[in-house]
C-alpha cells in the first residue's frame, strides 16, 4: 500500500476460539485503498504481520488466521 498509515480505526471485534480479535481499518498516505489488520485483544499481538486483508475479514478468514498463528505458519492465506 502506501508508505505511511494516516488513520487507524477499530471497526469490529469477534470472539474466535476463545480469543477476542479486533479488526482495524487502515488508511494509507499516497494509496487509494484501505487495508485491515487483526489484533488479539488480550495480548495486543498483531496477527496480520506478513499481510493485511484488502477487505474486512470474514469469520472463516479469522478462524484460518488464528489457526495458522497457532501452528506457527506466518502466511494464513
Amino acid at each position: 500500500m502506501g508508505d505511511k498509515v494516516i488513520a487507524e480505526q477499530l471497526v469490529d471485534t469477534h470472539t474466535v476460539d476463545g480469543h477476542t480479535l479486533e479488526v482495524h481499518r487502515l488508511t494509507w498516505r499516497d494509496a487509494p485503498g484501505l487495508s485491515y489488520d487483526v489484533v488479539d485483544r488480550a495480548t495486543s499481538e498483531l496477527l496480520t504481520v506478513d499481510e493485511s486483508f484488502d477487505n474486512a475479514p470474514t469469520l472463516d478468514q479469522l478462524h484460518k488466521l488464528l489457526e495458522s498463528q497457532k501452528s506457527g505458519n506466518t502466511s494464513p492465506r
Side-chain angles (χ1 to χ4, degrees):
M1 292 236 90
D3 64 339
K4 182 178 178 186
V5 173
I6 59 171
E8 181 174 353
Q9 180 180 8
L10 174 64
V11 293
D12 214 345
T13 58
H14 298 279
T15 301
V16 178
D17 296 332
H19 295 266
T20 302
L21 305 179
E22 297 180 343
V23 178
H24 295 245
R25 181 176 56 218
L26 306 176
T27 305
W28 295 85
R29 178 176 67 189
D30 301 325
L34 299 171
S35 61
Y36 295 84
D37 279 345
V38 179
V39 175
D40 185 322
R41 181 180 278 176
T43 64
S44 298
E45 180 180 3
L46 177 64
L47 302 181
T48 47
V49 174
D50 292 335
E51 185 177 350
S52 299
F53 290 96
D54 292 334
N55 297 299
T58 64
L59 281 175
D60 186 50
Q61 289 173 310
L62 292 173
H63 279 280
K64 289 178 183 176
L65 179 63
L66 194 57
E67 280 301 312
S68 69
Q69 194 71 13
K70 288 179 184 177
S71 69
N73 181 0
T74 58
S75 180
R77 292 182 243 174

